[in-house]
Amino acid sequence: MYGTTHTRARAAGAVAALSGLVLAALPAQAAHAATAPVNTGFESGATGWSTYSAGGQNAASFTEAGGHGGSTRLSHWSASAYEVETYQYLSGLTDGTYTLSAWVRSGGGQNAAYIALRNCGGVEQRTDLPPTANGDWVRLVTSVKVTGGACTISLNSDAHAGEWANFDDIAFTPGSTGLSVRGGDLSTLPKSEAHGATYSDASGRSGDAMSILKGSGMNYVRLKVWVNPADGYNDKAHVLAMAKRAKALGMRTLVDFHYSDAWADPGKQNKPAAWAGHGYSALRTDVYNHTYDVLNALKAQGTTADMVQIGNEINGGMLWPEGSTNNWSQLAGLLTAGADAAKAVSSTTQVALHLAEGGDHAGTRWWFDNAVAQKVPFDVIALSYYAYWHGSLAELQTNLDDAASRYGKPVMVAETAYARTLANDDGLENNVATASQLVTGYPATPAGQAANLRDVMNVVEAVPNGRGLGAVYWEPAWTAVAGSGWDPADPASGNAWENQAVFDHDGRLLPAAGWFSHR
């Protein structure tokens, strides 16, 4: 089902496809009733917790050694197929919004495995367990509005024989969670449309891709901008046009400055041709003027950028060699020039600094420690996270949690994606997301793609103190269409990404798009 608030009440069809069977409705009250949960670390066995199974499989819920924070955990497991719920009923609550937090592990494969808040006066809220590996624990959250003073904490499994889940360190506290950024990078959409790409919703009704995605819950459009691209796309004019479309749909914009004529990423940060002979001092002026020019034009047409990235995946710096991390003072000067330009246009535009390697805790800490030491101004920490390359969900969580706490800034995943098939739809092989790169528990299927996006968003939502802003899916509408390929200088180049779009080879919307409704 849809994790946290967005799942629970919504999209019953997609939920059934992803979560399998739902346990039967349970009694609203159990033996234990208090205003706060007890034995939340299961150190006293199952004391205070009740078990229910429609099939009489209560023994599938038990405590055993090996906890997250203490010595004991709750486990769900059976040698035969089972459905079981472990729960605690709370009463005498003050009406308001509450958040359930739990540390979990799972072998994956269940029809459903989730934490939930139910019988709280409204629709049940739940968050699904991700598959985990190497003994990793992941913290999940889910929120509910309590009316009537009562609520049930619920830990659930509907599993095949031998499948398992662990739960520990439960917390139930006042407050809510949610994601304010549920975005997609639609930079390539104008080029794809110009070359004949077509799109339809899940029911097969033709429409505009941006509108279809907005209807699925997407609220942010990320747009990269190049200085003088060979094909004329991803330039200032196209960013302006796309921002108008987004604004008309009530969507926000994130402008991603590459400071290059083509792709900038950890492996290449090439200067634009027009700046090729410029030294550090001139480059600072270039960065300021280019950033100001694009953002001021957006403001002038009534589409002021909501957020801006000063550089794209700048782990090694930008505008090499002058802006390399080998010379942090110069890199800081370039970043500050871009940030200053953004704030000069609009003080409300959030400035993000964006790195790749979302699971690289040490690398992220090293980079941002340097940025802070150099007094680079920024509002948001943005990381790319692709499960093929960037570590486990637990490593992503560790990095996000630490960055948010250490620097006192909100964090987000600025790029993520996953394969929904390994099949190729054009002349360029899909060398991203090959069979050897897939992550256990996430097959290259529409359901596997949806589950991966769900779990990434759930990890971001669990960042403490509400500092997890959300996630942006990279190029969800970049389907295979001749002429809209990787290389802006080669019209015949293909697309190695179409198997990761959230539209299938026929341009029909896939279940992963339902996760843009995650609130």
Side-chain angles (χ1 to χ4, degrees):
M1 294 188 78
Y2 289 92
T4 70
T5 26
H6 98 264
T7 345
R8 337 209 242 209
R10 309 129 290 258
V15 168
L18 294 178
S19 298
L21 302 177
V22 177
L23 293 179
L26 303 178
Q29 186 166 333
H32 175 70
T35 57
V38 300
N39 190 25
T40 54
F42 301 98
E43 297 306 300
S44 300
T47 301
W49 294 88
S50 301
T51 302
Y52 176 83
S53 174
Q57 300 146 313
N58 286 18
S61 175
F62 53 92
T63 59
E64 61 180 336
H68 167 262
S71 60
T72 308
R73 67 185 183 229
L74 174 76
S75 292
H76 287 176
W77 178 88
S78 177
S80 58
Y82 64 95
E83 289 184 67
V84 69
E85 177 188 33
T86 308
Y87 64 101
Q88 216 177 112
Y89 174 77
L90 305 178
S91 64
L93 300 172
T94 301
D95 285 355
T97 304
Y98 293 82
T99 293
L100 169 65
S101 172
W103 287 89
V104 302
R105 301 191 299 190
S106 169
Q110 299 96 330
N111 294 318
Y114 56 92
I115 64 172
L117 293 169
R118 61 177 188 81
N119 295 330
C120 304
V123 177
E124 176 182 294
Q125 304 296 301
R126 62 170 65 180
T127 296
D128 298 273
L129 272 60
T132 55
N134 304 316
D136 289 341
W137 289 89
V138 174
R139 187 183 61 259
L140 299 180
V141 296
T142 195
S143 296
V144 73
K145 184 176 182 180
V146 172
T147 58
C151 192
T152 299
I153 296 171
S154 177
L155 314 175
N156 297 266
S157 294
D158 173 3
H160 306 102
E163 293 172 344
W164 60 271
N166 296 157
F167 307 85
D168 203 1
D169 295 337
I170 309 299
F172 181 78
T173 55
S176 63
T177 65
L179 298 178
S180 59
V181 176
R182 306 179 306 278
D185 190 315
L186 298 180
S187 299
T188 306
L189 181 59
K191 186 175 181 180
S192 293
E193 290 172 331
H195 287 278
T198 59
Y199 303 92
S200 63
D201 64 17
S203 299
R205 292 183 294 263
S206 297
D208 166 70
M210 190 186 293
S211 297
I212 291 169
L213 291 167
K214 162 66 177 179
S216 295
M218 184 185 288
N219 70 344
Y220 250 91
V221 175
R222 183 176 184 252
L223 302 168
K224 68 174 171 280
V225 57
W226 292 335
V227 176
N228 187 27
D231 60 3
Y233 288 94
N234 299 302
D235 62 353
K236 173 183 167 182
H238 283 90
V239 169
L240 290 171
M242 285 290 282
K244 278 188 175 181
R245 289 172 62 176
K247 178 78 170 183
L249 291 170
M251 303 171 79
R252 298 181 177 182
T253 55
L254 163 56
V255 180
D256 174 17
F257 284 94
H258 282 226
Y259 302 111
S260 181
D261 289 335
W263 304 100
D265 55 45
K268 54 186 176 299
Q269 294 284 335
N270 300 322
K271 296 178 189 175
W275 307 354
H278 294 187
Y280 168 64
S281 180
L283 287 172
R284 282 198 67 173
T285 301
D286 293 332
V287 168
Y288 186 97
N289 290 344
H290 172 59
T291 306
Y292 187 95
D293 178 53
V294 173
L295 296 181
N296 195 50
L298 285 166
K299 180 180 179 180
Q301 71 172 12
T303 59
T304 300
D306 297 282
M307 192 183 299
V308 57
Q309 286 180 214
I310 307 301
N312 186 76
E313 294 190 329
I314 52 175
N315 301 58
M318 65 185 198
L319 292 167
W320 291 343
E322 286 80 3
S324 166
T325 51
N326 292 328
N327 190 333
W328 252 103
S329 64
Q330 290 192 175
L331 172 58
L334 296 172
L335 294 171
T336 299
D340 286 349
K343 293 297 187 179
V345 173
S346 170
S347 61
T348 62
T349 296
Q350 292 183 296
V351 172
L353 299 179
H354 173 215
L355 305 183
E357 304 290 344
D360 181 6
H361 180 207
T364 300
R365 182 178 273 205
W366 172 83
W367 198 98
F368 277 96
D369 277 357
N370 276 284
V372 169
Q374 295 288 336
K375 296 182 169 55
V376 177
F378 65 97
D379 303 308
V380 175
I381 294 169
L383 303 172
S384 294
Y385 177 75
Y386 296 99
Y388 321 115
W389 311 308
H390 295 161
S392 67
L393 285 172
E395 289 170 322
L396 172 65
Q397 183 163 76
T398 295
N399 200 17
L400 291 172
D401 289 359
D402 180 70
S405 174
R406 186 176 182 84
Y407 308 108
K409 303 287 186 181
V411 295
M412 64 180 288
V413 170
E415 293 185 22
T416 192
Y418 200 79
R420 42 90 183 169
T421 181
L422 296 179
N424 183 35
D425 196 33
D426 64 7
L428 182 62
E429 287 300 317
N430 299 325
N431 57 2
V432 178
T434 60
S436 63
Q437 293 172 314
L438 296 179
V439 179
T440 300
Y442 301 107
T445 63
Q449 179 191 55
N452 186 261
L453 179 57
R454 173 199 72 196
D455 294 342
V456 170
M457 296 179 89
N458 285 341
V459 164
V460 178
E461 186 177 20
V463 174
N465 301 312
R467 287 189 172 134
L469 292 181
V472 177
Y473 197 95
W474 198 75
E475 292 285 5
W478 195 5
T479 54
V481 55
S484 184
W486 278 94
D487 188 351
D490 180 8
S493 61
N495 176 6
W497 197 263
E498 83 275 7
N499 65 318
Q500 297 183 84
V502 301
F503 293 89
D504 67 17
H505 287 350
D506 295 321
R508 181 177 294 210
L509 192 69
L510 293 165
W515 287 94
F516 294 126
S517 296
H518 188 123
R519 300 181 186 278

